[in-house]
């Protein structure tokens, strides 16, 4: 079940609390969608597969010569984008000059587009290099572009350990793709 739901106590009385269910996150938490061969090889890597899929399946927002931009399937905030090289490379120091340059320019474009469509107040930008640094898919480098708004870290993630995302990923992808500069 998704959405909000009201609960009652064992006596049938409403407890006054509303629950937001985000069962799609359990796939990420449990690792159910992790390929059997792992992410080390391009065949198991979602960042290698995404550009080959239709946009509505891949959530790819924009494509360049060396990098592409895709919505994070498990976003921290609405509009959370990933800038990824097409090449299956793990370490930032292994990018060549054109890849590094385009990754930087696409990160800038991502920030401009997100500001335009959702009026983000700020951003968290970053790469987690290696599993010990927090990379969920360490084998394929990706730059996070996470929009932030004043008050976006409210009680839900702090106490409820849940993020409320007010828009379907496909709708967010369409909005950002339409606003991306050609």
């Amino acid at each position: 079940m998704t959405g909000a739901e009201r609960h009652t106590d064992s006596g049938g009385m409403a407890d006054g609390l509303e629950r937001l269910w985000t069962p799609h996150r359990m796939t990420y938490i449990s690792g159910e969608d992790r390929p059997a061969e792992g992410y080390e090889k391009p065949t198991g890597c979602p960042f290698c597969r995404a550009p080959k899929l239709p946009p509505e399946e891949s959530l790819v927002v924009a494509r360049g010569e060396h990098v592409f931009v895709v919505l994070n399937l498990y976003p921290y905030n609405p509009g959370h984008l990933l800038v990824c090289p097409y090449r299956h490379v793990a370490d930032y120091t292994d990018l060549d000059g054109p890849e590094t340059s385009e990754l930087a320019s696409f990160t800038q474009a991502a920030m401009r587009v997100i500001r335009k469509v959702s009026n983000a107040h700020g951003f968290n930008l970053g790469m987690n290099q290696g599993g010990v640094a927090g990379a969920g898919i360490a084998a394929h480098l990706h730059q996070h572009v996470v929009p932030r708004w004043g008050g976006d870290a409210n009680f839900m993630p702090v106490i409820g350990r849940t993020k409320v995302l007010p828009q379907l990923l496909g709708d967010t992808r369409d909005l950002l793709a339409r606003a991306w500069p050609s």
Side-chain angles (χ1 to χ4, degrees):
M1 176 182 291
T2 59
E5 185 177 281
R6 294 211 180 269
H7 283 263
T8 58
D9 65 16
S10 59
M13 301 297 292
D15 65 6
L17 299 177
E18 199 170 296
R19 271 69 170 192
L20 292 174
W21 300 99
T22 57
H24 64 281
R25 298 264 322 149
M26 190 51 68
T27 302
Y28 176 73
I29 293 166
S30 68
E32 285 175 40
D33 62 348
R34 191 174 304 262
E37 68 271 22
Y39 299 127
E40 298 304 312
K41 297 182 182 178
T43 55
C45 176
F47 299 135
C48 289
R49 288 193 317 264
K52 299 171 188 162
L53 298 171
E56 58 278 359
E57 288 179 48
S58 69
L59 299 176
V60 170
V61 170
R63 298 168 188 269
E65 186 178 340
H66 304 285
V67 304
F68 66 97
V69 178
V70 63
L71 269 175
N72 189 332
L73 189 56
Y74 304 105
Y76 300 137
N77 272 344
H80 179 170
L81 295 173
L82 304 172
V83 184
C84 308
Y86 289 108
R87 190 164 61 99
H88 189 81
V89 58
D91 199 85
Y92 184 69
T93 62
D94 292 333
L95 292 178
D96 63 25
E99 288 169 326
T100 303
S101 178
E102 194 170 73
L103 187 128
S105 67
F106 269 58
T107 299
Q108 290 175 328
M111 292 173 65
R112 289 182 185 112
V113 167
I114 292 168
R115 277 191 186 116
K116 179 179 178 180
V117 302
S118 65
N119 195 29
H121 300 151
F123 292 89
N124 290 119
L125 303 175
M127 290 180 212
N128 300 324
Q129 292 283 266
V132 298
I137 301 175
H140 196 133
L141 177 138
H142 50 285
Q143 166 84 18
H144 291 261
V145 181
V146 183
R148 299 300 306 269
W149 295 268
D152 67 6
N154 60 24
F155 73 96
M156 289 300 291
V158 175
I159 298 193
R161 299 182 53 84
T162 299
K163 282 296 272 189
V164 178
L165 301 174
Q167 192 172 49
L168 296 172
L169 288 175
D171 294 344
T172 304
R173 190 219 75 84
D174 292 344
L175 184 68
L176 293 169
R178 282 193 306 271
W180 198 270
S182 16

